[in-house]
Amino acid sequence: MSNDDHYGGGGHGEVGGTGQTRTRLPDSPSDPYGAPRRTPRPSRGLITAVGVVVLLIAAIAFANQSPDAPANTATNKPPTDAATSPTGTRPVTGKSNGIPKGFSQDEQGAQSAAANYAVALGSDGMLKKTSRHALVDGIYTPEAAARQKGPQDEAYSATFLAKLGLDANGNPPQGSTFVTRTVPIGTRVENYSPTAAKIAVWYTGLIGMSGTKSTDPVRTTWKTWTFELSWVGDSWRVVDDVQQDGPAPVPGDVPVSTSDDMSKAIKEFGGFTYAR
């Protein structure tokens, strides 16, 4: 897998799109010509009476609810789409070099492995040679790892790291935080056998530099990462992998955070071990 796949080929995508016009209504309750709208205020007695009625209805409903029966059987039905419903089974038994291990030899284990491998391979550990080699050795088969290391070392060159705003050792400028995270949304089994599986991981990613002088702000990406896995020894290992763009949703209207808020969030919010 080329590092350009995850980092977008060095391009600078724009969050939210361009060429869109939005009309925002005034915050105050006024008509289009600016004249204030007079809204009659309910009496204090009416507000109190309504509040008492609401509380009585809630209390009666709570008292009549059986503790042994579900409140609404319709909402407690199991999801009908097995492709997106988690099983709740413990996904792994431990970690090695920060990589989850102990995935089960079944479809769920293969999906959990693929999701967690996507997280590891999309982390900032890939920016430094020592940690990158440890990740590759722990995720790929020995043959695939041997094929990956040389080309990856060339791909993560000082020139490429400089394009990301990092020094030759993969470190950001003082006062800045380089952000690179993979957040799986779901997995899909394309084929499976007890010794081989092909699993697609749909994910959103965060990539960019957070800092007051950054010219490459943190942005989101949406991609699908497909892994060919092989059962080697007592674990799923990656034989080959490929990425493609999308599916991508319509960007929302959430205001962009400041660089300080983004840097703080990256440091305070840790990642997860992903189950299937």
Side-chain angles (χ1 to χ4, degrees):
M1 188 237 0
S2 169
N3 56 298
D4 287 343
D5 290 336
H6 177 69
Y7 298 107
H12 305 276
E14 296 189 23
V15 178
T18 59
Q20 297 179 345
T21 302
R22 293 187 176 89
T23 302
R24 190 174 297 278
L25 297 177
D27 294 331
S28 60
S30 59
D31 64 23
Y33 300 99
R37 186 188 313 156
R38 298 185 181 276
T39 304
R41 301 179 60 185
S43 66
R44 183 175 300 176
L46 177 60
I47 294 175
T48 302
V50 172
V52 171
V53 171
V54 171
L55 290 176
L56 283 174
I57 293 174
I60 292 172
F62 180 82
N64 289 333
Q65 182 177 344
S66 170
D68 297 326
N72 187 341
T73 55
T75 59
N76 284 275
K77 290 181 179 179
T80 57
D81 191 350
T84 57
S85 58
T87 65
T89 303
R90 183 176 178 85
V92 295
T93 57
K95 286 189 175 183
S96 177
N97 293 323
I99 307 170
K101 67 176 184 177
F103 299 104
S104 56
Q105 192 176 4
D106 52 25
E107 285 194 14
Q108 175 183 302
Q111 291 177 82
S112 295
N116 284 284
Y117 292 164
V119 172
L121 293 172
S123 70
D124 57 3
M126 293 294 290
L127 300 172
K128 301 177 185 295
K129 185 175 181 178
T130 301
S131 57
R132 179 170 64 251
H133 284 192
L135 287 172
V136 170
D137 285 334
I139 291 174
Y140 291 84
T141 63
E143 297 79 10
R147 293 196 308 268
Q148 291 279 349
K149 289 180 183 177
Q152 283 186 348
D153 290 345
E154 293 180 7
Y156 285 94
S157 64
T159 301
F160 175 75
L161 294 175
K163 291 180 180 178
L164 299 178
L166 306 171
D167 64 19
N169 295 316
N171 298 310
Q174 186 174 4
S176 297
T177 302
F178 185 73
V179 181
T180 171
R181 280 199 186 184
T182 297
V183 184
I185 304 299
T187 57
R188 180 182 67 226
V189 178
E190 299 200 350
N191 56 62
Y192 172 81
S193 76
T195 58
K198 187 174 183 180
I199 309 295
V201 181
W202 179 35
Y203 75 90
T204 182
L206 299 177
I207 182 72
M209 185 75 73
S210 179
T212 55
K213 297 181 179 180
S214 173
T215 59
D216 186 22
V218 180
R219 60 196 183 278
T220 57
T221 61
W222 289 89
K223 293 178 179 289
T224 298
W225 205 335
T226 303
F227 295 91
E228 292 186 19
L229 304 174
S230 178
W231 185 260
V232 178
D234 60 351
S235 180
W236 291 106
R237 294 295 187 98
V238 177
V239 177
D240 199 5
D241 58 299
V242 64
Q243 293 195 59
Q244 64 184 46
D245 291 337
V250 176
D253 291 329
V254 179
V256 176
S257 299
T258 64
S259 60
D260 288 341
D261 287 342
M262 185 60 67
S263 297
K264 184 178 180 181
I266 290 298
K267 294 175 182 177
E268 292 182 348
F269 289 88
F272 296 97
T273 297
Y274 287 84
R276 188 69 198 97

